[in-house]
Amino acid sequence: MDKKWYLRIGRASEIAVAKDRRIYRALEILPGFLVWLTFIFLVVFSIYQAAGVAIFVILFDVYWLVKIIFLSAHLRSGYKRMRENLKIDWWNKLKERTDWEDYWHLVILPMYKEPYEVVLPTFEALANSRYDHKKMIVVLALEERGGAEPLQAAELLRQKFGGEFFKLLITIHPKDILGELAGKGANQSWAAKRVKEEIVDPLNIPYEKIILSVFDIDTNVWPQYFALLTAKYMAHSQPDRASFQPVPFFINNIWETPALGRVVAFSSTFWMMMQQERPERQVTFSSHSMSFKALVEVGFWQTNIVSEDSRIFWQCYNFFDGQYEVVPLLYPVSMDAAVDKTFWKTMKVIYKQQRRWAWGTENLVYVLFCFLKNKNIALSKKLYHGFNLLEGYYSWATNALIIFLMGWLPVILGGKNFNVTVLSYNLPQITRTIMTLAMIGLISSAVISINILPPRPPRYGRRQYIWMILQWALMPLTTIIFGSIPAIDAQTRLMLGKYMGFWVTPKSRERVEK
């Protein structure tokens, strides 16, 4: 048996050895169990130990306030550093070196049923990037199950951009391959193997000289992305032991998005920007880049999971025994906010997208199990990453509900004995004051959101900018409805063994009907 067989696990049922299968299943239960245990304890203790819960809530609110201040500082710092990167002419700076031409860029774009008008700007952005396009191999990775329309769109793109790059390869991932979960990971893994066999190997291009970028189909690269990426890749002491992460700006269609959707989209952008300031905690997410050599060594992306974008980092981290990292690029790529044709359909789409992202808790299970099996990673690294992952997914599911809803439980359930105390009287006022102070931190978010907006479409008046600022008052609502609840949903499904499949977020550039 392969010593690192555990690197290909998707779920507990795939493990042949009963003992290991039970351990993995227990780890699948753990996140949801902790979340529901917390809620049960808060309710029970609010009845029988209301004063203790009230003190806990106050301390938790203070902790949350300090964390908001801490993260807001990271947001401002990350934004400042990103703006500095945007001022640099990375293309001319790169050309000062004589060896940059030794490197190739391989871009894989997985596509399902996205319309031509969504995919076209992605190719236009690639074609407009300030880089030598003859050093770029672009792969449009279609799905057989996507039907005829994507094939027609692919042919139009081939006619328009076929001569723009060194190679434009169109692959078709077959449906119903045994052992695969239909989704992005299986598609892009198929595409990477095809380009290796059809282009890379026949031309004897060294794997270590290929910088692979896998982008969601709606990803628009900014002009200097490949120049900056090449410079960072070449400057790294071991570039085949690192992934390179840009900041995803979910703004392509932001003007067409309802206010609730805009807050969720900007919040996701800002979270990733803050994470760039904490590279020791960062993992790959959505569109990112890495060494083709590293990808081949680990055996490409797993084809039996949902969250392949983050899994590839943990796959590499364990394969290389902890000698793998994410390099923050502090440079943006633009992507779509989740939108559908009507308001309520958009709300449903946002919820499903957030639930799919929250399903990333499957990576927590995977990492903890790999850490149990891999004896070559330092214990300190295992404890650090294991705790951060567990705390992150736990907080995602619980924090907003504890802060905005469950803090009132002692007053509601505490009974007469508690409600006549000074603590009972002060709890709502203290909670309200702390939440008000915390909301001040949204000022940074509001200002930055205005600064990163794409040009305003003519059909929207200047008054729309006012709503772009006032929308941040919806933050408490979005953190519960599109934060905690989908996270609880995902972790509960995993706990019960109700495994999720890959759900493709609909892409639309149409104006949302009210």
Side-chain angles (χ1 to χ4, degrees), residues 71-84:
L71 292 176
S72 295
H74 276 311
L75 175 60
R76 291 191 297 272
S77 175
Y79 178 65
K80 179 180 178 181
R81 292 174 61 197
M82 188 188 67
R83 290 188 63 183
E84 291 171 353

Side-chain angles (χ1 to χ4, degrees), residues 123-351:
F123 274 81
E124 289 176 337
L126 290 174
N128 292 329
S129 59
R130 293 193 65 195
Y131 203 79
D132 182 358
H133 299 158
K134 297 307 177 183
K135 303 296 292 186
M136 296 174 65
I137 302 169
V138 178
V139 183
L140 181 59
L142 306 182
E143 291 275 12
E144 182 185 4
R145 61 192 176 94
E149 289 187 14
L151 288 171
Q152 297 169 2
E155 185 56 35
L156 291 175
L157 293 166
R158 189 204 300 273
Q159 294 173 11
K160 187 175 180 65
F161 298 99
E164 189 71 38
F165 312 104
F166 176 71
K167 294 286 186 182
L168 173 55
L169 177 66
I170 296 174
T171 63
I172 302 177
H173 174 232
K175 60 182 179 180
D176 301 328
I177 295 179
L178 184 64
E180 284 192 353
L181 184 150
K184 205 173 85 173
N187 185 8
Q188 61 200 35
S189 187
W190 175 271
K193 292 174 182 177
R194 298 290 77 74
V195 74
K196 175 181 177 295
E197 295 173 0
E198 298 179 24
I199 298 176
V200 174
D201 288 348
L203 295 176
N204 293 316
I205 303 176
Y207 297 168
E208 65 272 15
K209 298 296 184 180
I210 302 175
I211 307 172
L212 164 71
S213 297
V214 57
F215 294 147
D216 285 0
I217 196 62
D218 59 322
T219 301
N220 297 172
V221 294
W222 286 36
Q224 302 260 6
Y225 178 81
F226 293 108
L228 166 64
L229 173 60
T230 308
K232 294 288 186 181
Y233 188 92
M234 295 172 66
H236 199 282
S237 59
Q238 285 187 293
D240 56 345
R241 296 292 182 271
S243 291
F244 300 82
Q245 180 67 53
V247 181
F249 278 15
F250 297 96
I251 61 171
N252 286 345
N253 55 348
I254 198 69
W255 289 97
E256 317 301 337
T257 309
L260 282 169
R262 291 197 298 266
V263 173
V264 174
F266 280 125
S267 297
S268 300
T269 292
F270 294 158
W271 176 254
M272 291 303 300
M273 198 181 298
M274 289 184 284
Q275 290 297 86
Q276 298 259 310
E277 289 292 290
R278 302 189 292 174
E280 72 284 352
R281 297 185 58 153
Q282 190 168 41
V283 301
T284 46
F285 173 78
S286 189
S287 298
H288 61 275
S289 305
M290 64 183 294
S291 164
F292 188 67
K293 179 185 177 184
L295 182 69
V296 173
E297 286 187 86
V298 301
F300 301 93
W301 294 275
Q302 284 185 243
T303 60
N304 55 348
I305 58 169
V306 172
S307 49
E308 90 299 327
D309 51 353
S310 299
R311 175 63 63 88
I312 191 61
F313 168 76
W314 294 115
Q315 197 176 333
C316 290
Y317 188 86
N318 280 277
F319 183 87
F320 296 117
D321 298 327
Q323 303 305 309
Y324 199 85
E325 65 175 345
V326 173
V327 176
L329 294 179
L330 281 163
Y331 194 86
V333 295
S334 301
M335 304 173 70
D336 284 16
V339 170
D340 211 327
K341 295 181 180 180
T342 68
F343 174 81
W344 290 112
K345 285 183 178 180
T346 295
M347 296 300 102
K348 185 176 180 180
V349 163
I350 294 172
Y351 181 88

